[in-house]
């Protein structure tokens, strides 16, 4: 002590007592979070036992990552430690999510041997905020369903679910899938293709048709054509007529052919595959063989 009668510490003595450096204590004093209780005759800062306790609290808060402004508010009684901690947890969660995305992007770049240009695009798309990613999906959904009120609502719900958001802790494969999916749903040509599919659905759907009928048609196609394939019935065979009647009923074969041609598009199949990857789901069967059989059978009959 400089003066035993006062029981006060110099910065050097406070540093030795707390294990902190003189430079750190002086900096916190200059920033106003550890005010000296007095000055010595020589102008040196002096601190008391309460200062040492306050210093321990400052060190704890700083080690937990709080900025000096938050430390100052806690010490001034403007905010409780619990309030600051809760706010800091939110900030840390955001930082952790960002670091996880960074890790996934770098892992993907390392695995794929991406160029600098590819890495820049991947990082940009992967780092979009959740709100920005939702906006991309909302714009996509709005464009392909605009004015098509007769479209099956189950189709809309399924498409929105398929075009999922990037998870908080994505794998490199999910980052790859999201980046490709984001580029795909912003492509005007792909949007036009998807809108054409929805328009086909809306055009042949009456006001009393229950939701989910379109999905039922696809399920029936897979069932009936799967049976035909197992029975060895070729698209051009006479027996194919009965399969088509059971599937199409009174529907216009030309309209169905146009719709199935769009639905069987490779980019649509890739869209489904990417959506499953982003959602963390196993890829859904594309039933490519069944779709190709129906398209071939309809084309045979359209050419007659």
């Amino acid at each position: 002590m400089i003066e035993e009668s006062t029981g006060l510490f110099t910065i050097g003595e406070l540093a030795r007592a707390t294990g902190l450096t003189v430079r750190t204590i002086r900096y916190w004093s200059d920033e106003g979070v550890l005010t000296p209780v007095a000055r010595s005759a020589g102008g040196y800062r002096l601190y008391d036992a309460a200062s040492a306790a306050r210093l321990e609290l400052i060190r704890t808060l700083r080690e937990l990552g709080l900025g000096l402004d938050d430390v100052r508010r806690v010490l001034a009684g403007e905010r409780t430690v619990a309030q600051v901690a809760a706010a800091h947890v939110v900030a840390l969660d955001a930082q952790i999510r960002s670091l996880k995305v960074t890790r996934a992007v770098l892992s993907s770049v390392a695995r794929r041997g991406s160029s600098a240009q590819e890495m820049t695009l991947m990082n940009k798309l992967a780092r979009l905020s959740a709100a920005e990613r939702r906006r991309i999906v909302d714009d996509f959904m709005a464009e392909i369903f605009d004015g098509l009120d007769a479209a099956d609502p189950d189709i809309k719900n399924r498409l929105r679910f398929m075009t999922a958001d990037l998870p908080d802790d994505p794998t490199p494969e999910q980052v790859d899938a999201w980046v490709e999916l984001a580029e795909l749903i912003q492509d005007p040509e792909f949007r036009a293709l998807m809108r054409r599919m929805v328009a086909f659905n809306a055009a042949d759907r009456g006001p009393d048709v229950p939701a989910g009928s379109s999905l039922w048609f696809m399920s029936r196609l897979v069932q009936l054509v799967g049976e035909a394939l197992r029975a060895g019935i070729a698209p051009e065979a006479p027996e194919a007529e009965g399969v088509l009647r059971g599937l199409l009923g009174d529907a216009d074969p030309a309209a169905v052919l146009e719709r199935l041609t769009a639905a069987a598009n490779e980019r649509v199949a890739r869209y489904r595959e990417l959506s499953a990857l982003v959602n963390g789901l196993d890829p859904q069967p594309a039933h490519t063989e069944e779709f190709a059989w129906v398209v071939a059978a309809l084309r045979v009959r359209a050419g007659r």
Side-chain angles (χ1 to χ4, degrees), residues 226-243:
E227 292 171 357
L229 286 167
R230 287 189 292 274
I233 299 174
E236 64 275 8
E239 295 88 347
E241 297 279 1
V243 178

Side-chain angles (χ1 to χ4, degrees), residues 125-170:
L125 287 175
R127 285 188 169 282
L128 291 175
S129 69
E132 289 168 328
R133 292 196 294 266
R134 279 195 302 271
R135 180 187 56 76
I136 291 175
V137 173
D138 289 345
D139 287 349
F140 170 69
M141 296 294 294
E143 182 168 334
I144 66 175
F145 282 95
D146 183 39
L148 301 176
D149 298 332
D152 191 333
D154 276 12
I155 296 292
K156 187 172 186 176
N157 291 338
R158 176 168 288 203
L159 282 178
R160 180 170 287 282
F161 171 75
M162 286 172 62
T163 314
D165 198 0
L166 189 66
D168 287 342
D169 188 7

Side-chain angles (χ1 to χ4, degrees), residues 70-292:
D70 281 329
V71 172
R72 197 177 290 109
R73 292 188 188 100
V74 169
L75 296 174
E78 297 173 5
R79 299 185 73 184
T80 65
V81 173
Q83 288 171 332
V84 172
H88 202 58
V89 165
V90 173
L92 281 175
D93 284 343
Q95 185 178 7
I96 289 169
R97 285 194 296 271
S98 178
L99 288 172
K100 287 177 177 178
V101 170
T102 299
R103 182 191 62 194
V105 168
L106 290 174
S107 297
S108 177
V109 168
R111 188 183 75 253
R112 292 169 44 171
S114 302
S115 67
Q117 185 177 7
E118 290 172 330
M119 181 179 67
T120 299
L121 175 61
M122 184 184 303
N123 190 49
K124 178 182 177 182
L125 287 175
R127 285 188 169 282
L128 291 175
S129 69
E132 289 168 328
R133 292 196 294 266
R134 279 195 302 271
R135 180 187 56 76
I136 291 175
V137 173
D138 289 345
D139 287 349
F140 170 69
M141 296 294 294
E143 182 168 334
I144 66 175
F145 282 95
D146 183 39
L148 301 176
D149 298 332
D152 191 333
D154 276 12
I155 296 292
K156 187 172 186 176
N157 291 338
R158 176 168 288 203
L159 282 178
R160 180 170 287 282
F161 171 75
M162 286 172 62
T163 314
D165 198 0
L166 189 66
D168 287 342
D169 188 7
T171 64
E173 292 76 18
Q174 284 175 311
V175 168
D176 286 349
W178 162 251
V179 169
E180 187 177 342
L181 185 64
E183 291 183 283
L184 186 61
I185 65 177
Q186 293 179 92
D187 180 1
E189 290 185 5
F190 180 73
R191 289 188 174 199
L193 171 64
M194 294 296 287
R195 179 172 174 80
R196 193 158 61 249
M197 288 179 55
V198 175
F200 293 153
N201 171 265
D204 62 8
R205 184 172 182 271
D208 300 324
V209 175
S213 297
S214 302
L215 302 179
W216 176 87
F217 171 79
M218 295 302 177
S219 298
R220 186 158 176 77
L221 182 153
V222 171
Q223 176 194 346
L224 292 178
V225 179
E227 292 171 357
L229 286 167
R230 287 189 292 274
I233 299 174
E236 64 275 8
E239 295 88 347
E241 297 279 1
V243 178
L244 290 177
R245 278 197 304 273
L247 177 62
L248 306 180
D250 298 329
D252 179 5
V256 175
L257 176 59
E258 188 178 6
R259 182 168 68 179
L260 289 180
T261 302
N265 184 282
E266 290 182 0
R267 300 188 81 196
V268 176
R270 183 58 176 163
Y271 167 76
R272 297 191 185 103
E273 183 181 357
L274 293 170
S275 298
L277 285 170
V278 174
N279 276 298
L281 303 174
D282 292 330
Q284 298 301 303
H287 300 295
T288 306
E289 193 175 4
E290 290 88 345
F291 274 89

